[in-house]
Amino acid sequence: MQPDNLSEIRLSEDMPTELQRCSASFNDMIARLGEGFSAQRQFTGNAAHELRTPLALMQAQIELFVSERSNLQPETAELLGLLQEQTERMSRMTKVLLEMSELRSVPCEDDVELGPLSEEVLTDLAPLAENKGIALNCAGDALVIGNDALLYRLVFNLTENAIRYSRSGSTVNVSISDSDNHVFLRVEDQGPGIPQQYRESIFQPFFRLDKSRSRAYGGAGLGLALVWEIAALHGGTVEVETSSENGTTMLVSLPKRSAASTEQ
């Protein structure tokens, strides 16, 4: 049972009389849960839509004000810089919320080679890694059926997170392997590690292990939540495979599916 398949779950009412009330109650409960998840996604999408326009207007007005005045007092310049930073952060947050609310309507029928896709992610993140003196490595390849843009975002978010929290001068490794039934993608960093009690909480929206560091990096606590949603949409999972003071390995497991099975 997952939030995206509740509508498909229903107990047959063709059963002994003493179980019919139980069956009907279960079906009513599942229906209410489905309605609740649907309302939650709709609210998130509507809120993100409503916030996007005023935030964009605020950003534009602040940028125009700054560009037209070159002799601002230091205190004013500092305040405007803070406003720009926070409106940009809120804009990124509303964008991710909008993406999360629309995930269920995205088709996942592309043939995606994870090796080249991961190499593309590392190329795009190379400037961020170079600023911290971090080396990026990628190894392996496997074919999955899914949405190319969403899987790119999944790998991007995990790798960006690994870079931001890794020690300077360390290495971030992305590796891909497969078995008979699953494809495995691992992102390994050399950061401070994640305490055992938080290894599931980090995938919850707005959860931040270290609030001060996350704010410094511009994070809103949605990156890993989006990774979890994308993995679930593809029938897979994401988890903290290992973590210690020497680093963390994030594991994404995706089912192998053929194009024929996807069409069915």
Side-chain angles (χ1 to χ4, degrees):
M1 295 175 60
Q2 298 291 338
D4 58 337
N5 70 353
L6 291 176
S7 61
E8 304 168 6
I9 298 174
R10 186 174 179 83
L11 292 181
S12 171
E13 297 183 7
D14 184 17
M15 56 177 59
T17 304
E18 60 269 21
L19 294 178
Q20 287 180 0
R21 285 187 63 188
C22 178
S23 173
S25 296
F26 179 86
N27 290 337
D28 288 343
M29 177 188 70
I30 293 299
R32 291 195 301 273
L33 281 172
E35 292 171 0
F37 280 113
S38 178
Q40 183 185 54
R41 285 192 293 269
Q42 184 175 1
F43 172 79
T44 301
N46 290 342
H49 271 298
E50 292 298 323
L51 287 170
R52 188 167 55 174
T53 299
L55 283 171
L57 180 61
M58 289 170 62
Q59 282 182 285
Q61 291 295 325
I62 294 171
E63 290 171 3
L64 179 62
F65 185 89
V66 171
S67 65
E68 291 179 344
R69 292 163 176 78
S70 58
N71 58 343
L72 293 172
Q73 295 294 323
E75 296 83 358
T76 304
E78 182 179 357
L79 174 61
L80 290 171
L82 177 63
L83 290 174
Q84 283 182 302
E85 177 185 335
Q86 293 303 315
T87 52
E88 173 62 26
R89 177 173 170 270
M90 291 179 67
S91 294
R92 290 196 301 268
M93 182 174 65
T94 55
K95 180 181 178 182
V96 175
L97 286 172
L98 192 58
E99 290 174 351
M100 291 175 68
S101 70
E102 296 174 347
L103 278 182
R104 304 299 166 185
S105 62
V106 176
C108 297
E109 302 173 356
D110 304 328
D111 290 334
V112 182
E113 295 183 358
L114 288 180
L117 182 145
S118 298
E119 292 282 3
E120 182 182 351
V121 169
L122 296 193
T123 298
D124 292 342
L125 286 172
L128 177 64
E130 290 172 2
N131 287 339
K132 292 194 64 176
I134 292 174
L136 301 177
N137 291 325
C138 182
D141 189 18
L143 180 69
V144 296
I145 304 297
N147 182 278
D148 183 82
L150 291 182
L151 290 172
Y152 173 93
R153 186 63 180 271
L154 179 148
V155 179
F156 185 97
N157 282 11
L158 287 175
T159 307
E160 182 186 37
N161 209 54
I163 294 170
R164 291 191 183 280
Y165 291 100
S166 281
R167 301 179 182 91
S168 298
S170 62
T171 301
V172 170
N173 293 303
V174 179
S175 61
I176 302 155
S177 60
D178 62 354
S179 65
D180 291 339
N181 300 315
H182 291 86
V183 171
F184 304 105
L185 181 139
R186 291 176 171 87
V187 179
E188 179 185 0
D189 66 49
Q190 295 175 358
I194 302 170
Q196 180 71 42
Q197 66 268 31
Y198 299 128
R199 293 181 188 177
E200 293 184 6
S201 302
I202 59 172
F203 299 106
Q204 297 175 4
F206 301 108
F207 179 86
R208 289 181 293 199
L209 185 61
D210 186 333
K211 294 180 174 57
S212 61
R213 291 178 63 190
S214 295
R215 288 188 183 279
Y217 294 137
L222 289 171
L224 291 179
L226 182 57
V227 167
W228 190 93
E229 291 279 359
I230 294 172
L233 182 66
H234 287 79
T237 60
V238 58
E239 62 182 301
V240 179
E241 184 177 33
T242 61
S243 189
S244 69
E245 66 276 6
N246 296 318
T248 298
T249 300
M250 305 294 290
L251 170 63
V252 178
S253 176
L254 300 172
K256 276 188 174 178
R257 296 184 297 164
S258 64
S261 66
T262 303
E263 291 172 0
Q264 293 174 0

